[in-house]
């Protein structure tokens, strides 16, 4: 005797399809999560858009391909116009920061010069610091000089005393005491008063580099601002702990 099912064949087929789709979706979700677990963000605070990624790839390809060929300059400018200049403001800045992150120093500098031509461009001290840091760490000292000179020509500079302190730390750590002193003079010239951390960074840094003359001048400045006692030049234990904790993050 044959027993026939009371469930229609169409319903069985529908249920089977539903179960298959759910299993397939679940496997896709797990797969995507697994690939992204150990992946670092391309650009801090904001993921790169598809257009920005494509622009980066096109810029690197045109810049490095046969770089000594005279025709390549025309090709690179074409990519700037067709791929980069059409991006949104945030994407253009994201491209620049990603090139900096990848240590494409000279390419980043050319991109930066194009960004300066944009109507919305406003100079940011933090961006200058990032560029100077990567240039110095890769040995592009002429480019560091160029950026420091360029910084002093900027108007409506977005920054604060802490930003100047960070830049001077970069210059001191890069063994560039003259540029650090020029940055200090520029900071005062545009109306920013040096605070105690600024003096501590510069005086201790200059003395560690054997620049006793410049250090003496700064000590005199510090006394005019904060009195005879320069005890703040010695970083206290709490600040050292806080600094070490932030470096280890």
């Amino acid at each position: 005797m044959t027993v026939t099912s009371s469930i229609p064949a169409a319903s069985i087929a529908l249920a089977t399809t539903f179960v298959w789709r759910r299993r397939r979706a679940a496997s896709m979700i797990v797969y995507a999560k697994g690939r992204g677990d150990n992946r670092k963000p391309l650009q801090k605070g904001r993921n790169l858009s598809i257009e920005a990624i494509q622009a980066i790839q096109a810029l690197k390809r045109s810049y490095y391909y046969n770089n000594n060929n005279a025709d390549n300059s025309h090709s690179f400018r074409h990519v700037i116009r067709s791929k980069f200049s059409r991006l949104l403001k945030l994407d253009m800045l994201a491209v620049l920061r990603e090139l900096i992150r990848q240590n494409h120093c000279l390419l980043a500098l050319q991109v930066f010069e194009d960004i300066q031509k944009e109507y919305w461009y406003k100079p940011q001290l933090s961006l200058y610091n990032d560029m100077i840091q990567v240039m110095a760490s890769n040995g592009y000292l002429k480019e560091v000089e160029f950026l420091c000179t360029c910084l002093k020509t900027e108007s409506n500079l977005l920054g604060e005393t802490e930003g100047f302190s960070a830049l001077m730390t970069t210059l001191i750590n890069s063994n560039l005491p003259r540029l650090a002193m020029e940055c200090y003079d520029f900071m005062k010239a545009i109306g920013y008063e040096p605070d105690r951390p600024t003096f501590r960074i510069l005086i201790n840094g200059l003395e560690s580099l054997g620049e006793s003359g410049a250090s003496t001048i700064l000590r005199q400045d510090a006394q005019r601002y904060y009195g005879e006692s320069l005890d703040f030049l010695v970083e206290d234990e709490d600040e050292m702990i806080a600094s070490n904790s932030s470096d280890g993050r």
Side-chain angles (χ1 to χ4, degrees):
M1 179 178 180
T2 302
V3 179
T4 58
S5 173
S6 60
I7 303 175
S11 298
I12 295 175
L14 181 62
T16 303
T17 302
F18 177 75
V19 171
W20 177 82
R21 285 179 177 175
R22 290 200 58 176
R23 288 178 177 174
R24 183 172 181 269
S27 64
M28 291 175 66
I29 293 172
V30 172
Y31 176 75
K33 182 179 179 182
R35 291 193 64 182
D37 281 345
N38 299 319
R39 188 173 182 178
K40 295 180 180 180
L42 289 174
Q43 198 259 343
K44 184 178 179 181
R46 184 174 186 270
N47 290 329
L48 290 171
S49 68
I50 295 176
E51 293 80 5
I53 293 173
Q54 291 174 341
I56 290 171
Q57 293 171 341
L59 286 168
K60 290 193 294 186
R61 186 164 52 247
S62 64
Y63 183 79
Y64 291 112
Y65 176 73
N66 196 18
N67 198 34
N68 295 325
N69 192 320
D71 293 336
N72 190 58
S73 175
H74 174 74
S75 174
F76 180 74
R77 297 313 307 173
H78 174 72
V79 172
I80 287 286
R81 291 191 301 270
S82 63
K83 295 290 186 180
F84 181 70
S85 297
R86 296 183 179 183
L87 295 175
L88 299 175
K89 169 186 174 181
L90 292 178
D91 281 335
M92 293 178 78
L93 291 172
V95 167
L96 174 57
R97 290 196 178 277
E98 180 61 15
L99 290 173
I100 293 172
R101 189 187 74 85
Q102 295 181 13
N103 287 331
H104 294 291
C105 301
L106 300 182
L107 175 55
L109 186 58
Q110 290 208 27
V111 169
F112 174 65
E113 290 177 335
D114 275 275
I115 286 179
Q116 286 181 302
K117 300 173 186 176
E118 295 292 327
Y119 73 92
W120 46 259
Y121 169 74
K122 292 182 180 179
Q124 299 178 16
L125 194 56
S126 61
L127 181 56
Y128 266 97
N129 184 40
D130 290 344
M131 293 191 65
I132 288 172
Q133 190 172 42
V134 74
M135 297 292 172
S137 64
N138 285 276
Y140 292 105
L141 300 185
K142 289 184 178 179
E143 285 71 21
V144 171
E145 292 256 10
F146 169 77
L147 286 168
C148 288
T149 301
C150 186
L151 175 62
K152 288 184 283 187
T153 66
E154 296 279 20
S155 57
N156 301 320
L157 182 64
L158 298 177
E160 52 190 10
T161 302
E162 290 81 0
F164 279 103
S165 295
L167 177 55
M168 285 181 272
T169 298
T170 295
L171 294 170
I172 289 290
N173 291 341
S174 302
N175 197 20
L176 298 169
R178 177 180 60 82
L179 293 180
M181 283 298 295
E182 290 180 5
C183 180
Y184 169 76
D185 292 334
F186 172 64
M187 178 186 71
K188 293 195 301 178
I190 62 175
Y192 291 91
E193 290 191 357
D195 55 13
R196 288 180 173 84
T198 300
F199 281 119
R200 183 167 60 227
I201 290 166
L202 277 176
I203 293 174
N204 292 340
L206 289 170
E207 290 179 351
S208 70
L209 296 175
E211 300 287 338
S212 57
S215 174
T216 300
I217 294 173
L218 285 173
R219 283 180 176 272
Q220 294 171 353
D221 281 358
Q223 287 175 335
R224 282 195 293 268
Y225 278 100
Y226 298 108
E228 293 297 322
S229 176
L230 298 180
D231 292 340
F232 62 84
L233 292 180
V234 180
E235 191 172 21
D236 61 49
E237 185 176 354
D238 291 339
E239 289 180 336
M240 291 179 66
I241 294 173
S243 176
N244 291 335
S245 298
S246 62
D247 290 342
R249 288 177 184 173

